């Protein structure tokens, strides 16, 4: 290991509303030295994800908030460059949770070795990683989609949403509808096999959803919240189910949203709205890798990546994600 300088992105201040680049700070530190049972990893790719916005606030949640004046963290993959752990050697490719830095010092028990020959290493942060498992678990176990049903996915051109739509079709959905934020993204959804797609900027979501699914929907996979959730509730058939994965439309809102205003329909339609966190579904991992890996191998499932180069550009990549500038998984090549 020849380099001695390590660059990290620290959280310098907590955002009020929409975050800006000045809440982040690029800090240079020394490359760490491993102790007994530890390894040092040179990160090659790191993930930026919508849930990270919530961690920038100092509030209690299912995951602790980011600390001020300390490096942020998140999914990353890289190469072991120094090891004091029996099961790891320099050159191993590993998956871990200390992104937002060039070099990470990790306990060996917090790292998972992966095989770079099986798939591009970036896919372990996306379609074969937490992103893919989120889509798989939310659709199949949380929403319990059945063959022949109509599925609506919001934020459908994102990393999770694009997987949900494809998995729904592969699992026998009768009709899959997606919403996205640009004409190019809408076209991409159609190319991925969505039966219908619309740009939510083109008019009220409820009207566009009604046109795309005139007979209603059975399952809604929610990445957006707000107006999309209200429209989905209105379109749901009796005994419809919604998997609530994220609500990116309101992560940066200073005030709570007005919608959904039609929650009384949960009673008359016997609807189920269920929030979920992917970490609760580790028991599906083996099944997920086997099924989704097979689809990838057979060319039945596609994935998109938006890659930003340089650790110094990680804040810009994160802000671009919140603005919807990504197609598929947003990654930083460290």
């Amino acid at each position: 290991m020849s380099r001695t300088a390590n660059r990290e992105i620290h959280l310098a201040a907590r955002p009020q509303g929409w975050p800006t680049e000045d809440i982040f700070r690029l800090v240079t530190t020394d490359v760490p030295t491993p102790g007994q049972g530890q390894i040092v990893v040179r990160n090659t790719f790191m993930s930026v994800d919508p849930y990270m916005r919530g961690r920038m606030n100092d509030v209690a949640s299912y995951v602790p908030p980011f600390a001020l004046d300390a490096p942020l963290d998140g999914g990353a993959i890289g190469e072991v460059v120094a090891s004091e752990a029996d099961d790891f050697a320099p050159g191993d490719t590993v998956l871990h949770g200390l992104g937002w830095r060039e070099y990470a010092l990790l306990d060996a028990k917090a790292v998972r070795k992966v095989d770079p020959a099986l798939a591009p290493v970036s896919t372990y942060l996306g379609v074969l990683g937490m992103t893919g498992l989120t889509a798989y678990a939310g659709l199949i176990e949380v929403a319990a989609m059945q063959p022949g049903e109509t599925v609506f996915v919001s934020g459908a051109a994102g990393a999770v949403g694009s997987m949900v739509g494809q998995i729904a079709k592969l699992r026998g959905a009768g009709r899959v509808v997606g919403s996205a934020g640009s004409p190019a993204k809408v076209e991409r959804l159609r190319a991925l096999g969505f039966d219908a797609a619309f740009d939510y900027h083109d008019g009220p979501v409820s009207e566009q959803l009604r046109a795309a699914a005139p007979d209603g929907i059975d399952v809604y996979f929610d990445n957006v919240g707000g107006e999309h959730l209200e429209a989905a509730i209105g379109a749901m058939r009796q005994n419809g189910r919604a998997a609530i994965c994220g609500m990116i439309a309101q992560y940066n809102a200073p005030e709570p949203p007005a919608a959904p205003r039609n929650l009384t329909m949960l009673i008359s339609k016997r609807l189920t709205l269920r929030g979920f966190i992917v970490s609760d579904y580790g028991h599906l991992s083996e099944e997920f890798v086997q099924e989704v890996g097979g689809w990838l191998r057979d060319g039945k499932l596609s994935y998109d990546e938006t890659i930003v180069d340089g650790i110094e550009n990680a804040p810009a990549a994160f802000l671009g994600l919140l603005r919807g500038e990504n197609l598929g998984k947003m990654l930083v090549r460290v």
Side-chain angles (χ1 to χ4, degrees), residues 205-222:
V205 175
S206 58
E207 294 180 9
Q208 296 197 77
L209 179 56
R210 193 177 304 116
D215 296 325
I217 65 174
D218 302 289
V219 168
Y220 172 47
F221 195 104
D222 190 14

Side-chain angles (χ1 to χ4, degrees), residues 60-132:
S61 185
Y62 64 91
V63 63
F66 292 126
L68 290 177
D69 301 315
L72 295 90
D73 58 64
I77 197 160
E79 181 181 327
V80 175
V81 294
S83 175
E84 293 295 333
D86 292 340
D87 296 332
F88 296 90
D92 287 345
T93 300
V94 296
L95 182 67
H96 62 88
L98 292 184
W100 295 85
R101 66 204 79 188
E102 291 177 316
Y103 289 86
L105 175 66
L106 296 132
D107 291 335
K109 62 185 178 182
V111 173
R112 179 163 68 91
K113 195 181 301 186
V114 298
D115 186 352
L118 292 180
V121 294
S122 60
T123 61
Y124 291 104
L125 294 172
V127 61
L128 289 178
M130 183 182 73
T131 298

Side-chain angles (χ1 to χ4, degrees), residues 130-197:
M130 183 182 73
T131 298
L133 182 58
T134 300
Y136 189 87
L139 181 68
I140 293 169
E141 186 154 314
V142 179
M145 188 211 85
Q146 300 300 310
E149 291 188 323
T150 296
V151 177
F152 172 46
V153 187
S154 59
V160 172
S162 59
M163 292 296 107
V164 173
Q166 293 181 84
I167 293 170
K169 293 297 289 185
L170 288 163
R171 278 292 194 110
R175 185 169 181 80
V176 176
V177 177
S179 72
S182 73
K185 289 182 177 181
V186 168
E187 286 305 309
R188 179 57 179 157
L189 294 181
R190 291 178 177 140
L192 290 175
F194 283 67
D195 298 289

Side-chain angles (χ1 to χ4, degrees), residues 8-14 23 25 27 66-72:
E8 307 173 334
I9 301 295
H10 289 205
L11 185 66
R14 302 203 183 277
I23 70 166
R25 182 179 298 123
V27 176
F66 292 126
L68 290 177
D69 301 315
L72 295 90

